[in-house]
């Protein structure tokens, strides 16, 4: 069922959420019983109910165990008009319904003797129990269910980059990294030498599997890679990682930042995302008879993302600062290209164990670490599925260092540039039927309206560079 919004686009009406599906009701009830039993057995004092606003900022309400059974049955009411992008004042009543499958104990909390604390992510609904159209989790769930209807499970394995800084309270001045290390360096003369070990331990304690962690290319820059799982679970994991990383940093006397590009001279922080589609236990991206070991499905999926990359850029790279990373190509793509093991391309096909079927995947390198992962993975999946549905053709792989090419050279080779500013990205997005259908009417319109206002506020700034260069005029 479709609805038409004022932007002249077609939007899907979301189907009922999982708790309204009879086949899953028993599983959910079993999970609820497990939570209630664990709360009692482990004497857990508090439960943080988490969800995100439109920009991927974590929101939380704390409840005591006595309220959880009611929360499962009726939800926790809150004023949705107070959350970015959620509701207008006239329709402010909103419910947060805890998802018991996400129940985990939080590390560190309770160390002061106040009692153990757990967390659960929530699905957002209207008072009558209908899934909210503005819930980022529901937007992603809708796309993953669409993939399931075609027989696919969408898996994600991200490389999460971020900076450790001595402080984030710099009053607009250049921040100072905690170390002078480089790629894969061992911590030496580091203000937080045990940080990565403690962060990995905290993640593992919450059931989030970490593949590995290492120092990245720039001073203070870190990377944590999570083991692949379905996109909805992974988005929850990324939100949890951001929270825990900041907590571990504070415990080490420093600060963590997921800002896309805090330093002019150093590489930005990406959320390089390895994507794959599975049909049951079979990797739908693998084909032993293809020269690249890529199936027709994989090639069409890649072509879909490349075709729609400019118009989904405002979602995968949602901040003004995001385009300082994209524009200059330091460890980030500048054009919609793909390549075998080519780290300058938007989509890289890793060369590790190409004949091993279950590991065949693609790596999307445009997404940055400050995105809303639910929305970013929703538009990436929608673009890839569009490529499969319409049989997009994949061009030849790029072999050049794309970032080293001039704009004229890129165009001569037929490469389409990614937007270089948020302004350009929004202009592409507002014409995109794919993004409008993926986000839905309310989110699409709110996103554009808010980001245009942010762009105008940024453009109105008088920078120190302008004053230094132009004040003598």
């Amino acid at each position: 069922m479709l609805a038409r919004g004022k932007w002249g686009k077609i939007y899907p009406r979301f189907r009922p959420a999982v708790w309204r599906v009879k086949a899953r009701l028993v599983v959910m009830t079993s999970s609820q019983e497990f939570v209630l039993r664990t709360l009692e057995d482990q004497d857990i004092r508090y439960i943080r109910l988490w969800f995100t606003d439109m920009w991927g900022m974590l929101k939380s309400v704390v409840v005591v165990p006595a309220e959880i059974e009611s929360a499962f049955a009726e939800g926790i009411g809150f004023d949705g008009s107070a959350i970015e992008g959620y509701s207008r004042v006239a329709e402010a009543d909103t419910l947060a319904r805890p998802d018991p499958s996400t129940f985990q104990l939080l590390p560190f909390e309770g160390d002061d003797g106040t009692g153990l604390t757990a967390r659960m992510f929530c699905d957002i609904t209207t008072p009558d129990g209908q899934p909210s159209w503005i819930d980022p989790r529901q937007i992603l769930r809708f796309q993953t269910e669409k993939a399931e209807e075609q027989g696919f499970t969408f898996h994600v394995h991200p490389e999460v980059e971020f900076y450790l800084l001595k402080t984030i309270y710099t009053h607009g001045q250049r921040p100072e990294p905690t170390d002078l290390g480089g790629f894969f360096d061992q911590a030496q003369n580091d203000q937080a030498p045990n940080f990565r070990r403690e962060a990995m331990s905290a993640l593992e304690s919450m059931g989030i599997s970490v593949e590995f962690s290492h120092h990245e290319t720039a001073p203070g820059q870190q990377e944590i890679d999570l083991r692949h799982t379905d996109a909805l679970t992974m988005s929850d994991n990324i939100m949890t990682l951001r929270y825990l990383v900041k907590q571990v940093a504070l415990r080490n006397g420093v600060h963590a930042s997921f800002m896309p590009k805090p330093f002019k001279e150093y590489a930005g922080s990406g959320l390089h995302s390895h994507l794959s589609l599975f049909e049951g236990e079979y990797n739908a991206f693998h084909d032993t008879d293809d020269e690249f070991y890529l199936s027709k499905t994989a090639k069409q999926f890649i072509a879909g993302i490349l075709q729609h990359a400019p118009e989904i850029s405002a979602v995968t790279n949602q901040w003004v600062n995001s385009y300082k990373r994209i524009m200059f190509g330091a460890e980030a793509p500048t054009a919609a290209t793909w390549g075998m093991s080519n780290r300058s391309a938007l989509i890289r096909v890793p060369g590790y164990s190409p004949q091993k079927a279950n590991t065949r995947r693609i790596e999307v390198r445009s997404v940055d670490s400050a995105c809303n992962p639910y929305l970013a993975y929703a538009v990436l999946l929608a673009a890839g599925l569009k490529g499969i549905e319409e049989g997009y053709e994949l061009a030849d792989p790029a072999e050049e260092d794309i970032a080293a090419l001039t704009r004229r050279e890129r165009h001569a080779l037929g490469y389409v540039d990614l937007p270089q500013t948020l302004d350009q990205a929004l202009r592409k997005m507002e014409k995109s039927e794919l993004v409008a259908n993926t986000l839905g009417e309310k989110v699409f319109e709110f996103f554009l309206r808010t980001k245009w206002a942010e762009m105008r506020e940024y453009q109105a700034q008088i920078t120190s560079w302008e004053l230094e260069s132009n004040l003598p005029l």
Side-chain angles (χ1 to χ4, degrees):
M1 195 171 185
L2 300 174
R4 186 176 295 275
K6 73 177 185 179
W7 292 88
K9 304 297 183 184
I10 302 297
Y11 310 92
R13 289 195 185 279
F14 293 140
R15 292 166 292 182
V18 293
W19 57 83
R20 297 176 66 85
V21 181
K22 185 176 180 181
R24 298 185 187 177
L25 187 58
V26 174
V27 175
M28 293 297 287
T29 302
S30 174
S31 298
Q32 291 170 4
E33 291 175 351
F34 170 79
V35 170
L36 295 174
R37 187 168 60 251
T38 305
L39 291 175
E40 183 176 354
D41 291 347
Q42 299 198 30
D43 191 27
I44 296 169
R45 302 284 185 88
Y46 308 101
I47 305 95
R48 296 185 185 274
L49 303 182
W50 285 358
F51 59 97
T52 71
D53 68 9
M54 204 55 58
W55 315 122
M57 301 301 176
L58 195 62
K59 302 296 179 180
S60 175
V61 58
V62 180
V63 298
V64 295
E67 299 299 321
I68 286 298
E69 193 167 357
S70 172
F72 284 144
E74 302 172 4
I76 299 291
F78 67 96
D79 179 6
S81 66
I83 305 296
E84 280 272 29
Y86 265 51
S87 304
R88 295 172 294 189
V89 173
E91 51 187 36
D93 290 341
T94 309
L95 294 176
R97 294 182 178 268
D99 179 350
S101 70
T102 65
F103 177 84
Q104 288 286 351
L105 281 177
L106 285 168
F108 315 132
E109 301 201 28
D111 291 354
D112 57 359
T114 57
L116 296 175
T117 302
R119 74 94 162 96
M120 281 186 283
F121 279 95
C122 294
D123 292 300
I124 307 303
T125 76
T126 57
D128 63 359
Q130 292 296 315
S132 173
W133 290 18
I134 45 70
D135 179 11
R137 261 185 128 234
Q138 178 62 17
I139 290 171
L140 176 56
R141 178 182 285 121
F142 179 79
Q143 288 303 316
T144 59
E145 288 179 349
K146 182 179 177 182
E148 288 169 6
E149 289 176 355
Q150 300 179 35
F152 299 124
T153 302
F154 181 44
H155 279 220
V156 179
H157 148 48
E159 303 172 5
V160 189
E161 297 175 342
F162 55 92
Y163 275 90
L164 285 184
L165 307 170
K166 292 185 177 181
T167 181
I168 56 173
Y169 305 109
T170 65
H171 306 290
Q173 301 303 306
R174 183 184 186 277
E176 186 176 356
T178 57
D179 64 75
L180 298 177
F183 191 65
F184 268 41
D185 274 0
Q186 176 62 35
Q188 294 178 354
N189 301 318
D190 189 337
Q191 200 166 330
N194 298 318
F195 168 82
R196 288 197 300 275
R197 184 184 67 191
E198 293 177 19
M200 292 172 70
S201 177
L203 288 163
E204 292 282 353
S205 76
M206 294 190 67
I208 299 174
S209 297
V210 179
E211 282 202 336
F212 52 81
S213 176
H214 61 85
H215 198 289
E216 253 297 338
T217 58
Q221 193 178 34
Q222 317 293 323
E223 177 177 308
I224 298 177
D225 293 11
L226 303 182
R227 188 172 297 279
H228 75 92
T229 188
D230 68 275
L232 187 59
T233 301
M234 184 56 72
S235 296
D236 290 344
N237 289 349
I238 290 170
M239 295 307 305
T240 305
L241 180 148
R242 289 178 183 169
Y243 173 82
L244 290 179
V245 159
K246 291 183 178 183
Q247 292 300 308
V248 174
L250 289 173
R251 289 169 64 88
N252 281 268
V254 297
H255 291 82
S257 174
F258 294 87
M259 181 178 179
K261 200 171 194 305
F263 297 98
K264 173 184 176 181
E265 67 271 37
Y266 301 141
S269 293
L271 186 72
H272 299 161
S273 297
H274 297 249
L275 313 180
S276 57
L277 294 178
F278 274 75
E279 295 176 297
E281 297 297 318
Y282 172 72
N283 186 348
F285 277 7
H286 185 263
D287 183 353
T288 55
D289 296 326
D290 181 75
E291 63 174 316
F292 304 123
Y293 295 94
L294 289 173
S295 67
K296 181 179 179 180
T297 296
K299 291 179 179 179
Q300 291 172 339
F301 192 90
I302 294 171
I305 292 178
L306 295 180
Q307 174 70 29
H308 297 286
E311 66 202 73
I312 68 175
S313 183
V315 180
T316 58
N317 306 84
Q318 65 174 334
W319 305 103
V320 167
N321 180 255
S322 298
Y323 296 87
K324 301 293 176 70
R325 171 178 170 264
I326 293 293
M327 184 176 181
F328 296 102
E331 296 288 319
T334 57
T337 58
W338 78 283
M340 297 298 300
S341 303
N342 188 341
R343 295 179 184 274
S344 70
L346 188 152
I347 294 179
R348 180 180 79 96
V349 178
Y352 316 122
S353 306
Q355 300 181 42
K356 192 175 179 180
N358 280 350
T359 65
R360 209 64 185 130
R361 62 194 187 274
I362 65 171
E363 178 191 357
V364 179
R365 296 178 60 83
S366 55
V367 191
D368 64 48
S369 290
C371 72
N372 182 328
Y374 302 100
L375 299 185
Y377 290 141
V379 295
L380 284 169
L381 177 57
L385 292 178
K386 185 80 167 179
I388 295 172
E389 291 164 3
E390 300 197 3
Y392 288 5
E393 292 289 332
L394 183 62
D396 292 334
E399 298 179 354
E400 306 85 3
D401 179 354
I402 311 301
L405 300 175
T406 65
R407 181 174 179 273
R408 179 174 294 182
E409 289 171 333
R410 291 195 299 271
H411 287 190
L413 291 168
Y415 301 151
V416 176
D417 281 344
L418 295 174
Q420 295 192 339
T421 64
L422 181 60
D423 179 289
Q424 293 178 10
L426 293 172
R427 293 180 191 279
K428 295 287 186 181
M429 175 178 163
E430 67 182 0
K431 298 176 183 178
S432 173
E433 185 171 331
L434 179 132
V435 178
N437 287 339
T438 302
L439 300 185
E441 176 183 3
K442 291 187 178 181
V443 173
F444 183 73
E445 294 179 0
F446 173 82
F447 194 106
L448 286 170
R449 182 171 62 252
T450 306
K451 285 299 176 180
W452 276 125
E454 180 183 314
M455 190 67 217
R456 286 192 293 272
E457 183 179 350
Y458 171 72
Q459 290 173 326
Q461 303 301 307
I462 308 300
T463 66
S464 58
W465 184 93
E466 291 173 276
L467 292 174
E468 290 175 8
S469 302
N470 301 144
L471 199 59
L473 296 178

